[in-house]
Amino acid sequence: NIDYDKVIELAKSREDARIYMIGDGPMRAEFIKRVKREGLKNVLVPGFLSDDEAYSILAKSQVCIFPLKNTLHTKVAGHMKAFDYAALGKAIATDRDGTAVIFERHNAALVSDPANLEEFIENVHKLLEDGNLRRKLGENARKLAKDFTWEKQGEKLVRLYRGLQ
């Protein structure tokens, strides 16, 4: 569900920003070909990394992005990746999905319409250019993540089940 077109257009719009696409999957090889074809030197695609390697890159990042395609899946599903970013206290630019709605409600990310490439890129630019906004959203995201640990979600589920008995 990652919208690789948004990553390409973001890279073109901010050649001064280095973009890491961490992870592996069926689209990785095609994405690498496109990055080379476009001549983008600011997009790095290391593939699968250990948690330590991935979190090391994320910890040094100013902004974490999660660009999503405009699909039915995006509209109804949520993604846990945003909570990983949030736990690190990172400013997040993402597209609206089931999880992003929570971040939006808590002023913990800049959230755009998945169908709006320009809005997504504009949100990333805002975060790159405004250190105070990055800090504020990062702090809010970290606070939000504390309420969404596996342990706390498990406790909520147990309370729910007990309430049904």
Side-chain angles (χ1 to χ4, degrees):
N1 267 344
I2 296 296
D3 191 333
Y4 293 101
D5 291 336
K6 288 179 185 166
V7 177
I8 295 292
E9 294 305 315
L10 175 61
K12 288 178 182 178
S13 74
R14 287 301 294 249
E15 292 182 12
D16 63 320
R18 199 171 328 148
I19 301 170
Y20 284 88
M21 291 296 290
I22 299 170
D24 205 359
M27 295 301 298
R28 182 172 179 262
E30 188 60 38
F31 181 67
I32 291 170
K33 286 180 195 172
R34 183 152 177 218
V35 166
K36 288 179 182 176
R37 193 169 54 245
E38 299 278 353
L40 298 171
K41 304 290 184 211
N42 58 335
V43 179
L44 301 133
V45 191
F48 176 80
L49 298 174
S50 69
D51 286 346
D52 288 344
E53 293 170 310
Y55 287 127
S56 175
I57 290 171
L58 292 172
K60 296 173 193 170
S61 299
Q62 288 185 310
V63 176
C64 290
I65 64 171
F66 199 42
L68 298 169
K69 290 181 182 176
N70 187 27
T71 65
L72 178 60
H73 182 262
T74 297
K75 290 176 183 156
V76 299
H79 297 85
M80 297 308 296
K81 187 177 298 262
F83 285 104
D84 291 339
Y85 300 158
L88 293 168
K90 292 298 169 181
I92 302 165
T94 187
D95 286 314
R96 193 168 288 106
D97 71 351
T99 303
V101 169
I102 297 166
F103 280 80
E104 193 171 33
R105 227 179 298 144
H106 289 87
N107 195 27
L110 292 185
V111 179
S112 54
D113 178 343
N116 191 333
L117 180 140
E118 293 81 15
E119 183 182 22
F120 178 81
I121 290 173
E122 183 180 312
N123 282 344
V124 176
H125 285 227
K126 282 180 194 174
L127 291 174
L128 289 172
E129 294 163 7
D130 188 339
N132 289 330
L133 180 60
R134 279 196 312 271
R135 277 187 290 287
K136 178 182 173 188
L137 291 178
E139 288 170 11
N140 291 346
R142 189 188 311 259
K143 288 176 192 171
L144 180 63
K146 288 179 182 178
D147 289 334
F148 283 87
T149 64
W150 287 110
E151 181 180 10
K152 287 192 178 187
Q153 292 306 302
E155 290 169 2
K156 288 177 189 176
L157 189 59
V158 168
R159 283 195 303 272
L160 177 69
Y161 282 139
R162 286 185 180 152
L164 294 174
Q165 295 176 353

